[in-house]
Amino acid sequence: MSRARLSDVAAAAGVSISTVSLVLNGRVARISSQTQDRVREAAASVGYTPNSVARGLRTQRTRTIGLISDRIATTPFAGRMLAGAQDVAREHGHLLFLVNTDGDADVEAEAVRALAGQQVDGMVYAAMWHRVVDAPAGLPAGTVFLDCRPSSGGFPAVVPDDRTGGRDAVRLLVEAGHRRIAYVDVDEDDPPVAAGLRHEGYLEVLADAGIEPDPALHVRQESSAAGGRAAAAALLDLPADRRPTAVFCFNDRMAAGVYVAAHRRGLDIPGDLSIVGYDDQQLVAGELDPPLTTIALPHYEMGRWATEVALGVREPPEGGRPHLMPCPIIRRDSVGPPPAAAPTPAGGEPLTTP
Amino acid sequence: MSRARLSDVAAAAGVSISTVSLVLNGRVARISSQTQDRVREAAASVGYTPNSVARGLRTQRTRTIGLISDRIATTPFAGRMLAGAQDVAREHGHLLFLVNTDGDADVEAEAVRALAGQQVDGMVYAAMWHRVVDAPAGLPAGTVFLDCRPSSGGFPAVVPDDRTGGRDAVRLLVEAGHRRIAYVDVDEDDPPVAAGLRHEGYLEVLADAGIEPDPALHVRQESSAAGGRAAAAALLDLPADRRPTAVFCFNDRMAAGVYVAAHRRGLDIPGDLSIVGYDDQQLVAGELDPPLTTIALPHYEMGRWATEVALGVREPPEGGRPHLMPCPIIRRDSVGPPPAAAPTPAGGEPLTTP
DNA sequence: CACGATTGCTCAATCGATTGAGCAGTCAAA
DNA sequence: TTTGACTGCTCAATCGATTGAGCAATCGTG
């Protein structure tokens, strides 16, 4: 038995196809309620489900949206971004086409063509780290960039507000009384945009607090637990008066390495060393001992935002600048006052947020 | 400027729509090569991309497949499964519809209807943990179950071979010389299928090696690092002669907890205690110190398998039993011989694999 | 009672492709 | 020269819905 069509419902209800279509689409202004009931009953009894392909051809709206992303496989963040996109799509009666390109330009071009061929109503182009990307050729106007900034303008985009996130992280430490705060940065040829922005946030808060930044406290390592451990080792080898009492890490993985280095030296967290991470990577931050205070990346919200803009239910900001999504502060147990040996600075006036 | 249609190409090439369609679909048996060239040039010059919606309506094949999954957001494994599905879809010129249901039955039913309405050529129903699920009503015949077993029969399914995985894990320890091997199990009302199967594998290898299982070495805790830590604490509090020299953990997170407990007691891994995990969760297993030996879950391969069956390019096994996907052994550095204080049993004969 | 407005429904074109049937024209064989 | 086969291409129906135009019956009003 093949699927029921509109004509099957029409035959069962004893009316025309047009009438069935009008009733089932709610355009019932001029249809008697008896007829409406008969049509609805007939539709239910034959188990009618509209054929979206035929409808899409006729209306030129397919109620689908395309999501192109590089490497969904290898990042723990993809899930939340997809979930945000997927939830918005569902809320608006849309279905999501997902294409994973692994960053391959040919695959990307093919995906753009295929999705255009499917007549998607909207398109989202997602990266898995905040960075600048070249828009693939043929990308339809109105494509929304998710967690990345297009190098050529004209596309709406949403990225995490890493600068404010960096400020919040460091402010947590300054407000706990720390003055010697290190930044464990990532060391790559092509550093993520986020690294620079978080560093700017770091410097801004130090400036606000009247703390002279110490270049020795800005260390770079590879973005991993091993890198964090090496960075921490270098910092903890500094002479006592130059040693940091707190560390802000580019991400939670590096923070995990800082934990290891600190524990190996018998240091207590946060008693001897306070640590703030970034990303709120559950399996890392939540299971460290003590649990890591960190800044969360708003992947779910960014996924939602991008999809809402792609669907046209939300207006992108004026001026073509990327929308900055706030990064929530996740207070756990890795921040405390500096150790007594490095006393709290006297007479600090309360910090103000510009 | 709207998209080019077949009729635009036909006009540009000075031939009929039929001819263009035949040429572009490679049915050129009776088309002169001059005409073919003209058509292809015309198609390129107007930038023609076939309208998949119209084609789908006519041919009744949409070249799409639907993937329904519960909670893609909250598991680190979803990515690899999706990547496997996505890669197969792309290799066969298909596009993937992704729906995340969060386990909600209403959303699930809605998704099934919507995907049927989109006339998908195949359907995959995925869970994020190996378990028994009730097939939602209306699921098309031939839907493939991914990482779960349908409670009612008739559907092809693929799940990890957890029993063999458990065997492999424990054999690693037995072959290193261990005789007192604990199993840190998960303690839940509705334990995952995997837990039972891995335990069976554990018991089988012990039996093969002539080791009497000690109930005190089978401990249950919640599936987290904290649970693993508590379990390890209990095991390490056992009198010396009953204490395990090796631990097989239900998963890597629990293994991470065992590390913490061991380190707190000043135990060396693997010198004093050998540990094998399960899942190969990169951010956990790979970044422990020392890196954790574990059994990987073949999510990518399962995603591929399911999608190949859904597409009809691979035959499911006879007899309707789920396909068991092998779980690779990931040898890292957390397994060694038992400490000298608990000497290797004398005269062990070589193990044989049945 | 006639006429226009309103109500309730149907006709038929349309979206953009695919494809079996069929139409000229050419060529070889009879 | 006729016939049949073959070549090269086009016609037109079709997939399953949506929708503006329009028809017939009823109603209200002057």
Side-chain angles (χ1 to χ4, degrees), chain B residues 19-248:
Chain B
T19 303
V20 178
S21 175
L22 292 172
V23 170
L24 297 184
N25 287 296
R27 310 183 55 166
V28 290
R30 295 178 49 183
I31 310 284
S32 72
S33 55
Q34 300 97 297
T35 303
Q36 289 182 44
D37 291 346
R38 258 192 305 137
V39 167
R40 279 190 259 268
E41 278 167 29
S45 80
V46 303
Y48 175 71
T49 306
N51 182 323
S52 305
V53 178
R55 170 185 288 169
L57 176 59
R58 179 61 237 252
T59 61
Q60 305 289 34
R61 304 201 59 243
T62 52
R63 301 189 152 273
T64 60
I65 88 138
L67 174 53
I68 297 183
S69 85
D70 60 350
R71 54 197 81 258
I72 53 168
T74 47
T75 150
F77 305 129
R80 298 210 55 75
M81 220 142 85
L82 287 179
Q86 158 62 40
D87 284 355
V88 169
R90 184 167 45 69
E91 286 163 18
H92 292 88
H94 282 240
L95 243 24
L96 196 74
F97 276 117
L98 174 68
V99 183
N100 180 38
T101 66
D102 267 323
D104 182 310
D106 291 338
V107 174
E108 225 166 47
E110 190 189 306
V112 170
R113 287 180 70 87
L115 290 172
Q118 290 287 350
Q119 310 269 82
V120 292
D121 294 341
M123 196 108 112
V124 174
Y125 182 88
M128 289 305 158
W129 288 280
H130 178 179
R131 53 177 222 266
V132 175
V133 297
D134 293 322
L139 211 55
T143 296
V144 185
F145 282 64
L146 173 52
D147 206 8
C148 52
R149 305 165 181 252
S151 55
S152 50
F155 294 103
V158 57
V159 296
D161 188 353
D162 285 298
R163 180 200 303 263
T164 303
R167 292 184 60 94
D168 289 344
V170 178
R171 185 150 37 218
L172 239 30
L173 296 168
V174 168
E175 285 174 354
H178 295 273
R179 305 284 294 175
R180 298 201 53 77
I181 302 169
Y183 178 44
V184 171
D185 202 350
V186 62
D187 181 27
E188 284 178 13
D189 293 340
D190 183 20
V193 173
L197 292 169
R198 293 174 196 172
H199 186 226
E200 288 174 19
Y202 164 83
L203 293 176
E204 286 171 14
V205 172
L206 292 192
D208 289 354
I211 301 172
E212 177 76 15
D214 178 351
L217 296 186
H218 181 197
V219 294
R220 298 170 193 275
Q221 273 290 346
E222 67 165 32
S223 167
S224 67
R229 187 169 164 183
L235 290 167
L236 297 174
D237 278 345
L238 254 22
D241 61 326
R242 304 197 57 199
R243 196 179 297 154
T245 62
V247 181
F248 168 42

Side-chain angles (χ1 to χ4, degrees), chain A residues 5-6 18 21 25 27 48 51 55 58:
Chain A
R5 292 154 304 184
L6 223 36
S18 310
S21 175
N25 287 296
R27 310 183 53 168
Y48 175 71
N51 182 323
R55 170 185 289 169
R58 178 61 237 254

